[in-house]
Every structure is written in structure tokens, then in C-alpha cells.
Amino acid sequence: MRPANFDHLAETLRNWGRWGVYDQRGTLNHIGPEALMRAVGSVQMGKLFNLGLNFDKNGPQPGGGRFNPKVYVTDLFTPLNPAYPNVVYSDDVIHMPLQAATQWDALGHVHYDGMLYNGCNARECLTEKGAAKMGVEHLATPGIMSRGVLIDMARFKGLERLPTDYGITVDDLNACCTRQGVEVQPGDIVLVRTGHIQAFTIDQDRQRFMGMQAGLSYHAAEWVHDKSVAAVCADNVAVELLDAEGLGSAMPLAFHMLCLRDMGCPLGEMFNLEALAADCAADGRYTFLLAAPPLAVTNGFGSPVNPLALK
Ligand code: UVW
């Protein structure tokens, strides 16, 4: 069975046609001049935070289809001109899944009932060559930048990490924003901290990091829609709650489906929010300029990203 109220939610939240029949950017359309100027206005201290994981063989993947990045050196001490061997360059190659570590999900990443965001027929749009529609390159132009709002749910609950079976509700989101003294506005990018990334960054337990984990309940998609949020990111693997019940239902990854397929809302995963969250707790300011441009991988289902938060 599909989760309770899923079909009703999907119909209510669906943004198909809202930004035109050819739109492939979804809720990023909420980011206009007003949202960007609000982002600039949130820069007050000149403090910069990197929210990305490193891309290397020690990444968060425990094995399987998604593996950690492999980097090969293809040129080392190669002379630019053989006549002057002391003037040289070095080059390298990376082989990695686009979903290996900190990443954006493109709108074509998941779908159900044969349709992608904006009513695209999945059989026509998705091929072995990738996403002919709803590829990540459409999120890359002009890019993803807006005001970021950190929602530090773990700290709000007085915990280092939320319990792995905890689904973050609409009430939680509202209560946490009130406590933090922040109001999410149209075009903002919301970053939710669960503390789950510590399973990788502190425990180095890749299996547990990829396993059951706290995250947003699929009901929270309604909040994302009502607030006109441009994109949602989190410090876990899937942004949403991963539990046996949801994964065993007829609509696994229900929040993904509502966001990517029905709303057209990109999801940012494995954002390391630890240092940023500590700083926000210290100065009581939870907003910042977020610059998180995906790579313009043509027809890509996702992209690695090195997100930056400037306070
Ligand atoms: C899937 O696992 C399908 O998606 P994600 O990596 O976006 O959580």
C-alpha cells in the first residue's frame, strides 16, 4: 500500500505547468532577485563554511553500485616542452558515481507511475544516455544560490543525533524555526541537520551511515510547498527518514517522490552541517548565503557539489 494520504498530498503539491510546460528547474524558479538580495543581506560576518565531503577513496560509500571516487594521475612531472624538462605539469582523472558523496539529485532522479516532473513521460525522457529531460544541467544554469536557512533539528531536540527512526514533522520544523528566531521565506534553501553524518565523519561506519536514518517525514513535503522553498538539503544520505516501514511500502522514498517528481524541488544530500551548526548556535544566526552550484553534467541524474555557506 502507498503511505497514508500520499496520493492526496501529491495532487495538492504538484507544480506541473506552474512555470510553463517546458520548465526543467522546478522550485528553483522561486529564486528571483528578491530571494538573491535577501541572500546577500544575510552576509554579516565574513565567515565561510564548506559543507562538502571530500571526493576520494575514503568516501562514505560502503561498496556496491555506488562506490567511492577513484582518482588516477595521468601526467606527473610532464614537461610542457621537452627542451625544458624542469617546467612541468600534472593531470588526473576521476572515476566516480555522481551520487558518491555530497550531491544534488536532479529532477529526473526518481519518479513513479511512468511520469517525471512536469508530466514528462519517463519512457521517452530517460534512456541509457541519461535524462534527456530533467537532467542536472538544468539546475546548473544559472546555478543554485540563495539564502540558506539552517534548521538544526538535532540541537533543537537536545541531541547530538536524532534517533535513526525519527521522522521530522511539520510541527518540528515550525517549532525549530520559532526557537531559532528564523522565518523561511520564498526562494530560501532549507538545510536540515539530523546529526546523522557523524556516523561517517566520527564513527567511520559507512554501513550505518547508509542504513536506516532519521530525516524528514514525507508529510513535511507540504511544509516545503507552503513555504515556497527552492531546495531542501540535509546531512543524511536521503534527506528523508529511511525506515523499514517506508522502504517496505508501495512508495519507498515518498518524500523524494513528492519533492522531485511532483514539486520539482531539488534535494541536496550528505551536506556536512556540523561546523556551520556550531557557529549558528554560538551566534544565534541561522541564515547565510548558500552557493551550491551543481556541475552541468548533461543528462545527469545528479551532480557532486561542494556547497559553501557565507555568513
Ligand atoms: C536513492 O537512493 C534512489 O536516492 P538518493 O541517493 O537520492 O537517496
Side-chain angles (χ1 to χ4, degrees):
M1 256 190 21
R2 289 189 176 179
N5 206 31
F6 178 87
D7 288 309
H8 173 71
L9 262 180
E11 237 173 82
T12 316
L13 310 181
R14 200 163 289 147
N15 282 326
W16 298 3
R18 181 172 178 177
W19 294 287
V21 289
Y22 300 114
D23 178 58
Q24 301 188 59
R25 289 179 50 74
T27 51
L28 294 182
N29 286 291
H30 287 307
I31 304 173
E34 201 179 317
L36 287 170
M37 293 312 292
R38 194 183 322 122
V40 171
S42 69
V43 179
Q44 306 274 320
M45 311 296 292
K47 287 198 259 183
L48 185 61
F49 298 87
N50 187 315
L51 313 182
L53 297 176
N54 282 13
F55 294 95
D56 61 34
K57 66 180 173 39
N58 299 315
Q61 299 298 331
R66 291 181 183 174
F67 52 87
N68 288 314
K70 300 174 188 187
V71 183
Y72 311 97
V73 172
T74 49
D75 277 285
L76 194 62
F77 303 115
T78 306
L80 290 157
N81 179 341
Y84 303 98
N86 61 330
V87 183
V88 301
Y89 71 95
S90 301
D91 270 5
D92 43 14
V93 163
I94 190 163
H95 179 51
M96 62 178 280
L98 298 178
Q99 291 76 22
T102 310
Q103 74 200 256
W104 282 112
D105 285 350
L107 302 187
H109 179 54
V110 300
H111 71 276
Y112 63 93
D113 291 348
M115 306 273 253
L116 305 181
Y117 169 68
N118 229 2
C120 291
N121 181 320
R123 291 276 159 216
E124 288 166 16
C125 301
L126 308 184
T127 73
E128 299 72 38
K129 291 185 180 145
K133 284 190 182 161
M134 306 306 156
V136 78
E137 74 272 30
H138 301 287
L139 310 185
T141 306
I144 302 183
M145 180 186 280
S146 195
R147 187 176 78 148
V149 178
L150 177 72
I151 298 189
D152 190 346
M153 195 55 65
R155 196 172 257 101
F156 172 63
K157 297 280 184 186
L159 298 167
E160 288 293 320
R161 308 175 193 184
L162 296 178
T164 53
D165 61 352
Y166 194 79
I168 297 166
T169 65
V170 168
D171 286 347
D172 286 333
L173 292 167
N174 285 328
C176 185
C177 285
T178 303
R179 169 83 68 83
Q180 292 181 180
V182 72
E183 194 182 330
V184 173
Q185 299 199 5
D188 283 344
I189 296 175
V190 165
L191 299 91
V192 180
R193 178 172 172 267
T194 67
H196 182 70
I197 204 159
Q198 296 167 19
F200 171 60
T201 55
I202 296 177
D203 305 345
Q204 290 286 298
D205 188 338
R206 294 171 175 79
Q207 292 289 355
R208 192 144 55 81
F209 183 52
M210 289 298 153
M212 301 299 166
Q213 55 194 267
L216 289 164
S217 147
Y218 67 91
H219 299 284
E222 191 168 18
W223 183 92
V224 173
H225 185 259
D226 290 351
K227 299 283 181 194
S228 299
V229 167
V232 185
C233 312
D235 63 345
N236 60 3
V237 172
V239 179
E240 67 187 283
L241 166 69
L242 293 185
D243 66 353
E245 189 187 340
L247 292 172
S249 79
M251 193 55 69
L253 298 184
F255 183 82
H256 266 61
M257 300 298 165
L258 294 170
C259 284
L260 295 170
R261 187 260 199 192
D262 290 306
M263 278 193 269
C265 179
L267 299 178
E269 299 170 333
M270 302 191 220
F271 279 44
N272 188 350
L273 304 175
E274 296 300 288
L276 174 67
D279 191 80
C280 294
D283 71 4
R285 295 186 60 256
Y286 289 83
T287 59
F288 40 86
L289 186 153
L290 179 76
L295 301 180
V297 181
T298 305
N299 302 341
F301 292 118
S303 164
V305 60
N306 188 42
L308 299 176
L310 179 60
K311 289 181 79 179

